[in-house]
Amino acid sequence: KELVFSGVQPTGNLHLGNYLGAIKRFVAMQEQYDCIYCVVDMHAITVPQNPTDLTRQIREVTAAFLAAGIDPKRHIVFNQSQVPQHAELAWVFNCVARLGWLNRMTQFKDKAGKDRENASVGLYAYPSLMAADILVYRATHVPVGEDQKQHLELTRDIAQKFNNDWAESIAAHGFGDAFFPLTEPMIQGPATRVMSLRDGSKKMSKSDPSDYSRINLTDDADTIAQKVRKAKTDPEPLPSEVEGLKARPEAENLVAIYAALMDTTPEEVLRQHGGSQFSGFKAALVDVAVTKLSPVADEMRRLMADPGHIDAVLADGSARARALASVTMDAVKDIVGFVRAR
Ligand code: AQP
């Protein structure tokens, strides 16, 4: 059975990259798939978090899911820490994944920086927990941005090694020749890697110290206009073919953002705007960004005024997620050979 899983970290400053690369695409998957969308709060504490801020940010990501149009009744919206099976399966996966595999992860290298000895063990083991998030539901499809590609490849490696290492037991327990599916990453659309507005070689990121590098989902119209106007560009007008965007990362980024907001392609955007100066194109981009993002921001603000409602959505989603996850985890315990209270 096809099932979608994905997650967003409640680490502050949800931005246009998170929206176009992930949340907007989560919304689009709802018609075709059963979907599970998770606020991955246990991932957030792999780096230091202020508890009060973390609580607010968990509610804020949930509000963003709902405001963007995810239906928590037809699908599942919950926070990771409320479903203990994620951590349980992550432990088993820590014993499946090899040190050499984790040593290759570029996100760890980027986030740990130079002071690697001081990074948390959790930050290092992050990809095992991410594999558990996905595989505890035996999810088949995972919509994410380009930056998560390497972690999804690792998830497939973990699934495959688990299936191989316990092949006999998996068959003996009636699960055939594979227990975990090899998950398909869904890295699609024009905005799989939204870049910083200040530097076309860096991805738009929550942790960039410059607020002008990103458009936050909660920015008002004036702020969006100011950030787009100040966005770095080159002096040439827009080309009329996408080939003309090569080696022009800032131009390519603004065209991709426009295309993703409008649900169209960069080709189509250039058909309309090829030859325009950036001053004109930026004004058009501000219009589109404000029109598409303001309703989401307004709805987020409305939802954030009633934390009780958000918490109730998470509690309901968590209960439903636990019911699914416990079935997988019981099977894993049987496969591994743990004695289980029945
Ligand atoms: N710039 C981006 N373009 C497209 N997609 C992006 N995503 C993140 N940045 C971009 C996607 O958003 C989802 C949630 O990401 P996350 O919460 O796990 O955060 P992250 O990937 O660590 O990136 P952030 O938000 O920029 O945080 P920091 O500053 O900590 O690196 C994922 O599907 C991700 O691919």
Side-chain angles (χ1 to χ4, degrees):
K1 188 165 184 305
E2 297 196 318
L3 182 74
V4 164
F5 177 93
S6 198
V8 173
Q9 296 192 70
T11 39
N13 293 323
L14 269 181
H15 54 74
L16 191 62
N18 299 135
Y19 181 66
L20 296 177
I23 298 172
K24 185 171 190 286
R25 300 190 37 245
F26 298 175
V27 177
M29 319 239 74
Q30 298 185 103
E31 292 307 317
Q32 219 186 321
Y33 298 93
D34 287 335
C35 304
I36 303 179
Y37 295 127
C38 185
V39 184
V40 286
D41 48 7
M42 294 200 300
H43 281 292
I45 64 163
T46 56
V47 295
Q49 299 293 339
N50 170 294
T52 313
D53 293 343
L54 182 62
T55 303
R56 183 178 42 75
Q57 288 158 7
I58 291 168
R59 292 185 178 127
E60 195 168 274
V61 174
T62 311
F65 284 175
L66 304 182
I70 292 168
D71 179 348
K73 293 208 171 71
R74 282 176 52 216
H75 302 277
I76 294 181
V77 171
F78 76 106
N79 58 321
Q80 188 185 27
S81 61
Q82 301 310 297
V83 180
Q85 288 82 2
H86 289 239
E88 277 187 275
L89 185 59
W91 179 258
V92 176
F93 286 171
N94 278 337
C95 302
V96 172
R98 307 288 90 185
L99 276 180
W101 298 0
L102 290 177
N103 284 340
R104 285 196 290 273
M105 295 296 114
T106 56
Q107 181 174 295
F108 174 75
K109 290 179 196 164
D110 292 347
K111 293 204 171 173
K114 287 200 181 71
D115 193 11
R116 199 175 295 184
E117 293 291 302
N118 236 336
S120 73
V121 175
L123 188 65
Y124 185 74
Y126 185 116
S128 279
L129 178 58
M130 180 165 157
D133 297 336
I134 296 165
L135 293 173
V136 85
Y137 304 101
R138 299 211 266 168
T140 54
H141 293 75
V142 182
V144 281
E146 170 76 33
D147 59 331
Q148 292 302 320
K149 188 165 181 245
Q150 195 184 32
H151 287 164
L152 284 174
E153 282 161 6
L154 189 87
T155 299
R156 291 167 67 97
D157 291 342
I158 289 175
Q160 186 132 46
K161 184 158 163 51
F162 182 95
N163 289 341
N164 288 342
D165 289 356
W166 281 284
E168 259 177 54
S169 186
I170 288 169
H173 284 92
F175 294 110
D177 55 7
F179 181 70
F180 287 119
L182 300 185
T183 302
E184 273 315 313
M186 304 180 93
I187 302 171
Q188 289 157 356
T192 56
R193 189 172 173 82
V194 177
M195 307 309 277
S196 156
L197 297 180
R198 308 299 289 161
D199 177 350
S201 68
K202 279 198 337 209
K203 80 162 189 144
M204 188 177 284
S205 142
K206 294 182 192 125
S207 52
D208 194 313
S210 165
D211 203 48
Y212 276 92
S213 70
R214 65 181 158 260
I215 293 176
N216 300 310
L217 273 191
T218 47
D219 283 345
D220 60 26
D222 287 345
T223 311
I224 292 175
Q226 224 174 28
K227 287 178 175 177
V228 172
R229 268 201 301 273
K230 283 195 188 237
K232 190 178 165 197
T233 47
D234 55 43
E236 302 297 319
L238 279 178
S240 32
E241 307 279 341
V242 281
E243 288 71 40
L245 291 171
K246 288 214 177 82
R248 295 180 66 186
E250 285 85 11
E252 186 175 27
N253 190 39
L254 295 185
V255 170
I257 290 172
Y258 191 103
L261 284 169
M262 289 293 283
D263 293 307
T264 177
T265 59
E267 286 82 0
E268 185 54 38
V269 175
L270 290 181
R271 215 165 291 146
Q272 274 183 30
H273 295 276
S276 305
Q277 298 294 330
F278 274 106
S279 51
F281 181 65
K282 280 180 169 181
L285 180 57
V286 169
D287 276 351
V288 171
V290 170
T291 310
K292 299 286 181 178
L293 299 179
S294 300
V296 179
D298 291 348
E299 181 63 4
M300 276 177 75
R301 265 189 288 278
R302 196 187 68 79
L303 288 162
M304 287 297 283
D306 184 3
H309 171 70
I310 294 181
D311 294 3
V313 167
L314 290 174
D316 172 66
S318 300
R320 286 154 58 216
R322 267 196 304 274
L324 297 174
S326 67
V327 174
T328 305
M329 205 51 224
D330 285 352
V332 167
K333 286 174 183 168
D334 292 345
I335 289 166
V336 170
F338 292 158
V339 174
R340 180 157 71 81
R342 284 170 200 268

